[in-house]
Amino acid sequence: MWLAIGKTIVAAVLISFVSWLSGKKTGLAGFLTALPLTTLLALAFSHMEWGDAKQSVEYAKSVFVAIPVSLLFFVPFLLAQKFNLGFWTCYSGGIVLLGVGYFIYTYVTKLI
């Protein structure tokens, strides 16, 4: 129980900090967000909770494949100025592309 509460507090503080920082130092906040902070936390939390090194390695491999595919979310944002897209259009389009990316992800993970 305490582990779950501790994990929630650490994750919430980290997300809140980066969100706050984005209003002060956009570049630094973007860099910190681009780091696999969630992955670092989730891998450590998962290993602490389950203690299974093999499972942790499989989890890390899964994340490795997912990271480049998840970049599809940002494609509409990259095209926003060219096509005069608003935030919610970019956001929605990114989510749709993530759905497409999931099918790519499942295909690739079956190969490795």
Side-chain angles (χ1 to χ4, degrees):
M1 175 68 165
W2 288 109
L3 179 61
I5 293 169
K7 291 188 306 187
T8 303
I9 290 170
V10 169
V13 167
L14 182 63
I15 292 167
S16 296
F17 172 72
V18 174
S19 175
W20 169 83
L21 187 62
S22 71
K24 306 291 182 191
K25 295 190 179 248
T26 307
L28 179 57
F31 179 75
L32 291 175
T33 302
L35 291 173
L37 294 175
T38 304
T39 303
L40 290 170
L41 290 173
L43 276 170
F45 290 162
S46 174
H47 190 71
M48 286 169 44
E49 189 166 348
W50 305 111
D52 184 347
K54 184 177 178 182
Q55 180 185 15
S56 296
V57 168
E58 289 300 314
Y59 181 28
K61 285 171 42 178
S62 172
V63 171
F64 180 79
V65 174
I67 287 173
V69 174
S70 70
L71 293 175
L72 288 171
F73 173 77
F74 297 103
V75 171
F77 290 96
L78 295 173
L79 302 173
Q81 282 186 324
K82 184 173 183 168
F83 294 106
N84 196 29
L85 302 173
F87 172 78
W88 290 112
T89 303
C90 292
Y91 191 83
S92 301
I95 290 173
V96 168
L97 287 174
L98 278 178
V100 172
Y102 178 73
F103 290 106
I104 295 168
Y105 165 83
T106 55
Y107 176 76
V108 172
T109 53
K110 287 178 185 175
L111 298 176
I112 60 170

